[in-house]
């Protein structure tokens, strides 16, 4: 599978589509999900062209991997959800239910998130 440069998150990264930004670094962008499933629903994406977590882990540099992981904590801190806790989730591929083919972590918080899988 090759990376689709026209996926919606690639367009957000290029500034062609707006987003409500939460956090940005050299390697990471985080913004609010357009269709929030919980009180707080953020998306954290690497700036590099990676389809999913498998593609990322196989191809990203160590610094990208470290910064992406740290980006989640930065987002939790910015959203003030670190204390009470939150959930991080990444859908991968067809069985994982991934809709946008650019790696992203969902960050849910601001309330009890409930059942792990439905
Ligand atoms: P997936 O199902 O791929 O794990 O999640 C994709 C997520 O991207 C969904 O939660 C969906 O609401 C969100 N999304 C889709 N299009 C846009 C958009 O244009 N802007 C933002 N902020 N989120 C989007």
């Amino acid at each position: 599978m090759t990376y689709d440069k026209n996926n919606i998150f690639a367009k957000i990264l290029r500034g062609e589509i707006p987003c409500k930004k939460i956090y940005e670094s050299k390697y990471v962008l985080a913004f609010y999900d357009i269709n929030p499933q919980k009180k707080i629903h953020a998306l954290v994406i690497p700036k590099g062209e990676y389809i999913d977590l498998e593609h990322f882990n196989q191809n990203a540099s160590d610094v990208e991997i470290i910064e992406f992981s740290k980006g989640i904590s930065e987002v939790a801190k910015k959203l003030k959800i670190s204390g009470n806790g939150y959930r991080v989730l990444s859908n991968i591929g067809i069985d994982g239910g991934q809709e946008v083919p650019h790696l992203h972590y969902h960050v849910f918080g601001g309330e009890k998130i409930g059942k792990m899988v439905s």
Side-chain angles (χ1 to χ4, degrees), residues 2-102:
T2 50
Y3 181 82
D4 171 15
K5 286 179 184 288
N6 282 319
N7 77 73
I8 206 93
F9 294 168
K11 289 181 179 175
I12 286 175
L13 281 168
R14 289 196 295 268
E16 294 167 10
I17 289 178
C19 70
K20 270 182 75 184
K21 196 188 293 185
I22 299 165
Y23 167 78
E24 184 169 16
S25 72
K26 186 175 174 189
Y27 299 99
V28 176
L29 178 67
F31 50 91
Y32 289 99
D33 195 291
I34 204 167
N35 182 24
Q37 301 299 309
K38 292 291 170 191
K39 201 165 175 185
I40 292 176
H41 184 174
L43 297 168
V44 186
I45 69 173
K47 288 189 172 176
E49 296 181 345
Y50 301 108
I51 300 165
D52 59 20
L53 196 59
E54 288 303 313
H55 187 224
F56 183 68
N57 285 334
Q58 282 162 25
N59 295 285
S61 64
D62 288 354
V63 68
E64 286 178 294
I65 292 171
I66 291 166
E67 290 300 312
F68 186 46
S69 186
K70 282 185 175 175
I72 291 165
S73 296
E74 290 295 336
V75 168
K77 203 160 71 183
K78 282 228 164 189
L79 296 174
K80 300 188 180 8
I81 56 175
S82 312
N84 277 354
Y86 56 96
R87 180 168 299 159
V88 177
L89 179 152
S90 189
N91 296 320
I92 301 168
I94 294 166
D95 280 1
Q98 182 177 3
E99 287 171 10
V100 179
H102 181 111

